[in-house]
Amino acid sequence: MISLGARAAAGRRRRAGRRASRPIEVQFRTIVSPHQLNSRWGRRVYWAVLVAVVVTFTLAFVFPLYWMVTGAMKSGEEIAQMPPTLFPADPSLDAFGEAWDLFDIGTLLKNTLFYALGGWLVSMAVDVAAAYALSKLRPVFGNVVLGAMLATLMIPPMVILIPLYVTIVDLNLLNNPWGLWFPAAANGFNIFLLKRFFDSIPRELIEAAQIDGAGPLRVLWSVVLPVSRPILGVVSIFTIVTAFKDFVLPLLVMTDSDRMTISVGLSQTAGAVTQNQIMAGLVITGIPMIIVFFVFQRHIMAGLTAGSIKG
Protein backbone atom coordinates (compact mmCIF):
# COMPACT_ATOMS: atom_id res chain seq x y z
CA MET A 1 0.00 0.00 0.00
CA ILE A 2 1.23 3.49 -0.88
CA SER A 3 0.85 6.02 1.89
CA LEU A 4 -1.02 9.27 1.39
CA GLY A 5 2.19 11.26 1.89
CA ALA A 6 3.94 9.41 -0.94
CA ARG A 7 1.00 9.99 -3.26
CA ALA A 8 0.99 13.69 -2.45
CA ALA A 9 4.73 13.92 -3.06
CA ALA A 10 4.37 12.13 -6.40
CA GLY A 11 1.56 14.49 -7.39
CA ARG A 12 3.68 17.52 -6.56
CA ARG A 13 6.55 16.15 -8.66
CA ARG A 14 4.22 15.56 -11.65
CA ARG A 15 2.84 19.10 -11.42
CA ALA A 16 6.35 20.54 -11.12
CA GLY A 17 7.41 18.53 -14.19
CA ARG A 18 4.47 19.85 -16.22
CA ARG A 19 5.29 23.44 -15.21
CA ALA A 20 8.95 22.95 -16.12
CA SER A 21 8.02 21.56 -19.55
CA ARG A 22 5.90 24.60 -20.42
CA PRO A 23 7.66 27.25 -22.57
CA ILE A 24 8.70 30.34 -20.66
CA GLU A 25 6.62 33.33 -21.66
CA VAL A 26 8.71 36.49 -21.93
CA GLN A 27 6.84 39.71 -21.31
CA PHE A 28 8.05 42.82 -23.06
CA ARG A 29 7.19 46.12 -21.42
CA THR A 30 8.29 48.38 -24.25
CA ILE A 31 6.19 50.45 -26.64
CA VAL A 32 7.38 48.39 -29.62
CA SER A 33 8.13 44.70 -29.07
CA PRO A 34 11.22 43.02 -30.55
CA HIS A 35 8.95 40.91 -32.77
CA GLN A 36 7.60 44.05 -34.44
CA LEU A 37 11.10 45.52 -34.79
CA ASN A 38 12.36 42.35 -36.48
CA SER A 39 9.72 42.58 -39.17
CA ARG A 40 10.51 44.21 -42.51
CA TRP A 41 8.51 47.38 -41.89
CA GLY A 42 9.61 47.48 -38.27
CA ARG A 43 13.29 47.68 -39.26
CA ARG A 44 12.55 50.36 -41.84
CA VAL A 45 10.63 52.50 -39.39
CA TYR A 46 13.27 51.99 -36.71
CA TRP A 47 16.15 53.10 -38.93
CA ALA A 48 14.14 56.00 -40.35
CA VAL A 49 13.35 57.31 -36.86
CA LEU A 50 16.94 56.76 -35.68
CA VAL A 51 18.45 58.61 -38.65
CA ALA A 52 15.94 61.47 -38.32
CA VAL A 53 16.70 61.92 -34.61
CA VAL A 54 20.49 61.77 -35.09
CA VAL A 55 20.44 64.21 -38.02
CA THR A 56 18.11 66.61 -36.19
CA PHE A 57 20.22 66.74 -33.04
CA THR A 58 23.45 66.96 -35.06
CA LEU A 59 22.13 69.95 -36.97
CA ALA A 60 20.91 71.56 -33.75
CA PHE A 61 24.40 71.39 -32.26
CA VAL A 62 26.51 71.97 -35.38
CA PHE A 63 24.49 74.74 -37.04
CA PRO A 64 25.39 77.47 -34.48
CA LEU A 65 29.07 76.70 -35.00
CA TYR A 66 28.60 76.78 -38.78
CA TRP A 67 26.71 80.07 -38.55
CA MET A 68 29.48 81.61 -36.46
CA VAL A 69 32.26 80.52 -38.84
CA THR A 70 30.42 81.59 -42.00
CA GLY A 71 29.36 84.85 -40.33
CA ALA A 72 33.02 85.70 -39.77
CA MET A 73 33.63 85.22 -43.51
CA LYS A 74 30.88 87.64 -44.54
CA SER A 75 31.15 91.39 -44.93
CA GLY A 76 29.55 93.70 -42.41
CA GLU A 77 26.77 94.59 -44.85
CA GLU A 78 26.01 90.99 -45.75
CA ILE A 79 25.79 89.79 -42.17
CA ALA A 80 23.35 92.62 -41.34
CA GLN A 81 21.04 92.17 -44.31
CA MET A 82 17.58 90.61 -44.03
CA PRO A 83 16.80 87.88 -44.77
CA PRO A 84 20.20 86.44 -43.86
CA THR A 85 22.20 84.40 -46.35
CA LEU A 86 23.11 80.81 -45.57
CA PHE A 87 26.40 80.92 -47.52
CA PRO A 88 28.81 83.87 -47.78
CA ALA A 89 28.55 85.61 -51.14
CA ASP A 90 32.22 86.61 -51.11
CA PRO A 91 34.07 84.61 -48.39
CA SER A 92 36.96 86.46 -46.78
CA LEU A 93 39.28 85.74 -43.85
CA ASP A 94 40.17 89.38 -43.21
CA ALA A 95 37.86 89.58 -40.20
CA PHE A 96 39.98 87.07 -38.29
CA GLY A 97 43.11 89.19 -38.50
CA GLU A 98 41.15 92.33 -37.65
CA ALA A 99 39.54 90.66 -34.64
CA TRP A 100 42.92 89.44 -33.39
CA ASP A 101 44.29 92.99 -33.37
CA LEU A 102 41.17 94.85 -32.22
CA PHE A 103 40.36 92.54 -29.32
CA ASP A 104 44.02 91.88 -28.46
CA ILE A 105 43.09 88.20 -28.41
CA GLY A 106 46.68 87.10 -27.85
CA THR A 107 46.81 88.78 -24.44
CA LEU A 108 43.28 87.69 -23.52
CA LEU A 109 43.98 84.07 -24.43
CA LYS A 110 47.24 84.10 -22.49
CA ASN A 111 45.46 85.44 -19.41
CA THR A 112 42.61 82.95 -19.71
CA LEU A 113 44.94 79.98 -20.19
CA PHE A 114 46.95 81.06 -17.16
CA TYR A 115 43.84 81.38 -15.00
CA ALA A 116 42.41 78.09 -16.31
CA LEU A 117 45.60 76.08 -15.73
CA GLY A 118 46.13 77.57 -12.29
CA GLY A 119 42.52 76.94 -11.33
CA TRP A 120 42.81 73.39 -12.65
CA LEU A 121 45.89 72.66 -10.51
CA VAL A 122 44.36 74.15 -7.35
CA SER A 123 41.00 72.48 -7.94
CA MET A 124 42.48 69.05 -8.66
CA ALA A 125 44.71 69.22 -5.58
CA VAL A 126 41.79 70.07 -3.29
CA ASP A 127 39.11 67.88 -4.93
CA VAL A 128 41.28 64.77 -5.27
CA ALA A 129 42.50 65.04 -1.68
CA ALA A 130 38.96 65.54 -0.35
CA ALA A 131 37.51 62.67 -2.40
CA TYR A 132 40.35 60.33 -1.41
CA ALA A 133 39.90 61.15 2.27
CA LEU A 134 36.13 60.60 2.13
CA SER A 135 36.44 57.37 0.13
CA LYS A 136 39.46 55.55 1.55
CA LEU A 137 40.48 57.22 4.81
CA ARG A 138 36.86 57.42 6.04
CA PRO A 139 37.12 60.21 8.62
CA VAL A 140 34.63 60.74 11.44
CA PHE A 141 31.41 62.36 10.16
CA GLY A 142 32.61 61.84 6.59
CA ASN A 143 29.07 61.31 5.31
CA VAL A 144 27.98 64.53 6.99
CA VAL A 145 30.81 66.41 5.28
CA LEU A 146 29.90 64.88 1.91
CA GLY A 147 26.25 65.77 2.41
CA ALA A 148 27.19 69.35 3.23
CA MET A 149 29.30 69.53 0.05
CA LEU A 150 26.44 68.21 -2.06
CA ALA A 151 24.05 70.65 -0.40
CA THR A 152 26.09 73.52 -1.83
CA LEU A 153 25.05 72.39 -5.33
CA MET A 154 21.49 73.47 -4.57
CA ILE A 155 22.55 77.07 -3.89
CA PRO A 156 22.46 79.27 -7.03
CA PRO A 157 25.86 80.90 -7.70
CA MET A 158 24.30 84.37 -7.86
CA VAL A 159 23.13 84.06 -4.25
CA ILE A 160 26.69 83.87 -2.92
CA LEU A 161 28.19 86.28 -5.46
CA ILE A 162 28.03 89.39 -3.25
CA PRO A 163 29.46 87.68 -0.11
CA LEU A 164 32.16 86.11 -2.29
CA TYR A 165 33.10 89.46 -3.80
CA VAL A 166 33.21 91.12 -0.37
CA THR A 167 35.49 88.33 0.88
CA ILE A 168 37.81 88.77 -2.12
CA VAL A 169 37.98 92.53 -1.48
CA ASP A 170 38.69 92.00 2.23
CA LEU A 171 41.52 89.63 1.35
CA ASN A 172 42.92 92.20 -1.11
CA LEU A 173 42.72 89.76 -4.03
CA LEU A 174 41.38 92.11 -6.71
CA ASN A 175 43.39 91.81 -9.94
CA ASN A 176 45.04 88.77 -8.38
CA PRO A 177 44.76 85.27 -9.87
CA TRP A 178 44.07 83.82 -6.44
CA GLY A 179 40.81 85.76 -6.46
CA LEU A 180 39.66 83.33 -9.19
CA TRP A 181 41.48 80.23 -7.96
CA PHE A 182 40.30 80.18 -4.35
CA PRO A 183 36.53 80.14 -5.20
CA ALA A 184 37.08 77.29 -7.68
CA ALA A 185 39.27 75.23 -5.33
CA ALA A 186 36.49 73.08 -3.82
CA ASN A 187 33.72 71.86 -6.11
CA GLY A 188 31.11 69.58 -4.58
CA PHE A 189 30.15 67.97 -7.88
CA ASN A 190 33.74 67.12 -8.80
CA ILE A 191 34.38 65.73 -5.31
CA PHE A 192 31.30 63.53 -5.61
CA LEU A 193 32.39 62.17 -9.01
CA LEU A 194 35.90 61.45 -7.77
CA LYS A 195 34.65 59.78 -4.58
CA ARG A 196 32.31 57.50 -6.52
CA PHE A 197 35.18 56.38 -8.73
CA PHE A 198 37.54 55.90 -5.79
CA ASP A 199 34.88 53.75 -4.10
CA SER A 200 35.01 51.37 -7.09
CA ILE A 201 38.77 50.76 -6.69
CA PRO A 202 39.24 47.31 -5.11
CA ARG A 203 40.17 47.45 -1.46
CA GLU A 204 42.74 44.70 -2.06
CA LEU A 205 44.95 47.12 -4.03
CA ILE A 206 45.01 49.57 -1.15
CA GLU A 207 45.72 46.84 1.40
CA ALA A 208 48.54 45.37 -0.72
CA ALA A 209 50.22 48.78 -0.90
CA GLN A 210 49.79 49.27 2.84
CA ILE A 211 51.37 45.86 3.53
CA ASP A 212 54.37 46.98 1.46
CA GLY A 213 54.73 49.95 3.79
CA ALA A 214 53.07 52.68 1.70
CA GLY A 215 51.46 55.52 3.60
CA PRO A 216 48.25 57.34 2.62
CA LEU A 217 50.02 59.82 0.32
CA ARG A 218 52.03 57.06 -1.33
CA VAL A 219 48.88 55.00 -1.89
CA LEU A 220 47.16 58.00 -3.43
CA TRP A 221 50.07 58.80 -5.77
CA SER A 222 51.11 55.28 -6.78
CA VAL A 223 47.85 53.29 -6.66
CA VAL A 224 44.75 55.48 -6.79
CA LEU A 225 45.75 58.16 -9.31
CA PRO A 226 47.17 55.81 -12.01
CA VAL A 227 43.89 53.85 -12.21
CA SER A 228 41.76 57.00 -12.04
CA ARG A 229 42.82 58.61 -15.30
CA PRO A 230 39.34 58.41 -16.90
CA ILE A 231 37.59 60.33 -14.13
CA LEU A 232 40.52 62.72 -13.77
CA GLY A 233 40.15 63.56 -17.46
CA VAL A 234 36.43 64.21 -17.08
CA VAL A 235 36.89 66.43 -14.02
CA SER A 236 39.72 68.27 -15.79
CA ILE A 237 37.46 69.09 -18.71
CA PHE A 238 34.73 70.36 -16.40
CA THR A 239 37.21 72.57 -14.55
CA ILE A 240 38.90 74.03 -17.65
CA VAL A 241 35.63 74.65 -19.50
CA THR A 242 34.18 76.37 -16.43
CA ALA A 243 37.23 78.63 -16.19
CA PHE A 244 36.94 79.54 -19.89
CA LYS A 245 33.23 80.31 -19.88
CA ASP A 246 33.07 82.09 -16.50
CA PHE A 247 32.11 85.73 -16.95
CA VAL A 248 30.66 87.40 -13.85
CA LEU A 249 33.42 86.68 -11.32
CA PRO A 250 36.32 87.60 -13.69
CA LEU A 251 34.39 90.77 -14.59
CA LEU A 252 34.32 91.79 -10.93
CA VAL A 253 37.77 90.57 -9.90
CA MET A 254 39.97 91.32 -12.93
CA THR A 255 39.26 94.99 -13.59
CA ASP A 256 42.56 95.90 -15.28
CA SER A 257 42.39 95.67 -19.07
CA ASP A 258 45.67 93.73 -19.28
CA ARG A 259 44.38 91.11 -16.81
CA MET A 260 40.94 90.41 -18.32
CA THR A 261 39.80 86.99 -19.47
CA ILE A 262 38.69 86.28 -23.01
CA SER A 263 34.96 86.43 -22.25
CA VAL A 264 35.26 89.76 -20.43
CA GLY A 265 37.59 91.26 -23.01
CA LEU A 266 35.29 90.43 -25.92
CA SER A 267 32.27 91.90 -24.16
CA GLN A 268 34.10 95.13 -23.31
CA THR A 269 35.12 95.75 -26.94
CA ALA A 270 32.09 94.31 -28.76
CA GLY A 271 30.30 97.66 -29.00
CA ALA A 272 33.10 99.27 -31.01
CA VAL A 273 33.54 96.64 -33.76
CA THR A 274 31.42 95.12 -36.54
CA GLN A 275 29.38 91.93 -36.31
CA ASN A 276 31.67 89.89 -38.53
CA GLN A 277 34.66 90.87 -36.36
CA ILE A 278 32.77 89.73 -33.27
CA MET A 279 32.02 86.42 -34.99
CA ALA A 280 35.69 86.01 -35.89
CA GLY A 281 36.74 86.69 -32.32
CA LEU A 282 34.29 84.09 -31.06
CA VAL A 283 35.60 81.51 -33.53
CA ILE A 284 39.20 82.11 -32.44
CA THR A 285 38.33 81.88 -28.76
CA GLY A 286 36.40 78.65 -29.32
CA ILE A 287 39.41 76.84 -30.79
CA PRO A 288 41.08 76.06 -27.40
CA MET A 289 37.92 74.34 -26.15
CA ILE A 290 37.73 72.24 -29.31
CA ILE A 291 41.37 71.21 -28.81
CA VAL A 292 40.67 70.28 -25.18
CA PHE A 293 37.75 68.13 -26.27
CA PHE A 294 39.76 66.21 -28.87
CA VAL A 295 42.62 65.67 -26.41
CA PHE A 296 40.35 64.33 -23.67
CA GLN A 297 37.59 62.71 -25.74
CA ARG A 298 38.79 59.19 -24.91
CA HIS A 299 38.64 60.01 -21.21
CA ILE A 300 35.16 61.50 -21.65
CA MET A 301 33.78 58.26 -23.06
CA ALA A 302 35.60 56.16 -20.45
CA GLY A 303 34.38 58.40 -17.64
CA LEU A 304 30.71 58.28 -18.57
CA THR A 305 30.32 55.14 -16.44
CA ALA A 306 33.01 56.04 -13.91
CA GLY A 307 32.23 54.54 -10.54
CA SER A 308 29.12 52.69 -11.73
CA ILE A 309 30.64 49.20 -11.48
CA LYS A 310 32.30 47.76 -8.40
CA GLY A 311 35.35 45.52 -8.57
Side-chain angles (χ1 to χ4, degrees):
M1 296 295 293
I2 301 176
S3 63
L4 295 176
R7 292 179 180 178
R12 287 196 296 269
R13 287 194 296 270
R14 286 194 298 270
R15 288 193 296 270
R18 286 195 296 268
R19 286 196 298 267
S21 61
R22 294 175 184 174
I24 299 175
E25 296 181 0
V26 181
Q27 295 182 354
F28 299 101
R29 299 183 180 272
T30 57
I31 297 177
V32 181
S33 68
H35 299 294
Q36 293 173 321
L37 287 179
N38 289 330
S39 64
R40 183 179 62 180
W41 284 104
R43 288 193 297 269
R44 292 179 180 178
V45 173
Y46 170 78
W47 283 108
V49 173
L50 178 63
V51 171
V53 171
V54 171
V55 171
T56 301
F57 279 93
T58 302
L59 291 177
F61 284 101
V62 173
F63 183 76
L65 181 61
Y66 167 80
W67 186 257
M68 186 170 60
V69 174
T70 56
M73 297 181 181
K74 299 176 182 178
S75 62
E77 296 78 9
E78 183 181 1
I79 199 173
Q81 74 179 21
M82 295 299 295
T85 57
L86 189 60
F87 303 99
D90 187 16
S92 175
L93 300 178
D94 296 339
F96 291 96
E98 297 170 357
W100 183 274
D101 296 331
L102 292 173
F103 290 112
D104 195 11
I105 293 181
T107 301
L108 297 178
L109 278 178
K110 182 180 66 175
N111 295 339
T112 306
L113 287 174
F114 175 68
Y115 300 147
L117 291 177
W120 171 73
L121 290 174
V122 175
S123 178
M124 293 298 290
V126 175
D127 295 346
V128 169
Y132 174 68
L134 294 173
S135 175
K136 298 304 180 184
L137 302 184
R138 300 185 181 277
V140 180
F141 303 115
N143 292 332
V144 177
V145 174
L146 179 62
M149 290 181 179
L150 295 178
T152 60
L153 301 178
M154 296 183 288
I155 302 176
M158 290 302 171
V159 174
I160 62 174
L161 182 61
I162 294 178
L164 178 61
Y165 177 73
V166 173
T167 304
I168 292 174
V169 173
D170 292 340
L171 295 176
N172 196 23
L173 294 179
L174 290 179
N175 292 311
N176 190 319
W178 287 103
L180 299 178
W181 295 343
F182 275 136
N187 186 291
F189 182 69
N190 291 343
I191 293 175
F192 176 73
L193 287 181
L194 290 167
K195 179 186 180 301
R196 290 294 299 168
F197 190 91
F198 293 165
D199 289 342
S200 66
I201 297 177
R203 187 68 185 175
E204 290 77 8
L205 293 177
I206 309 297
E207 294 175 350
Q210 292 173 345
I211 292 175
D212 291 339
L217 291 179
R218 183 66 177 179
V219 171
L220 173 63
W221 183 261
S222 301
V223 178
V224 175
L225 292 183
V227 300
S228 304
R229 284 179 293 180
I231 193 62
L232 293 178
V234 173
V235 172
S236 298
I237 291 178
F238 289 162
T239 305
I240 294 175
V241 170
T242 301
F244 258 84
K245 73 177 184 179
D246 195 9
F247 176 78
V248 178
L249 188 61
L251 177 64
L252 298 176
V253 176
M254 297 298 174
T255 57
D256 291 347
S257 59
D258 57 343
R259 295 177 180 268
M260 291 181 177
T261 61
I262 191 68
S263 58
V264 177
L266 289 179
S267 67
Q268 296 294 322
T269 319
V273 297
T274 60
Q275 289 292 323
N276 61 335
Q277 293 169 348
I278 296 176
M279 292 285 191
L282 293 175
V283 172
I284 296 174
T285 57
I287 292 176
M289 289 296 94
I290 297 175
I291 295 176
V292 169
F293 171 76
F294 281 111
V295 170
F296 289 101
Q297 62 175 340
R298 181 169 59 89
H299 299 292
I300 294 176
M301 301 306 298
L304 290 177
T305 56
S308 61
I309 300 177
K310 294 279 186 179

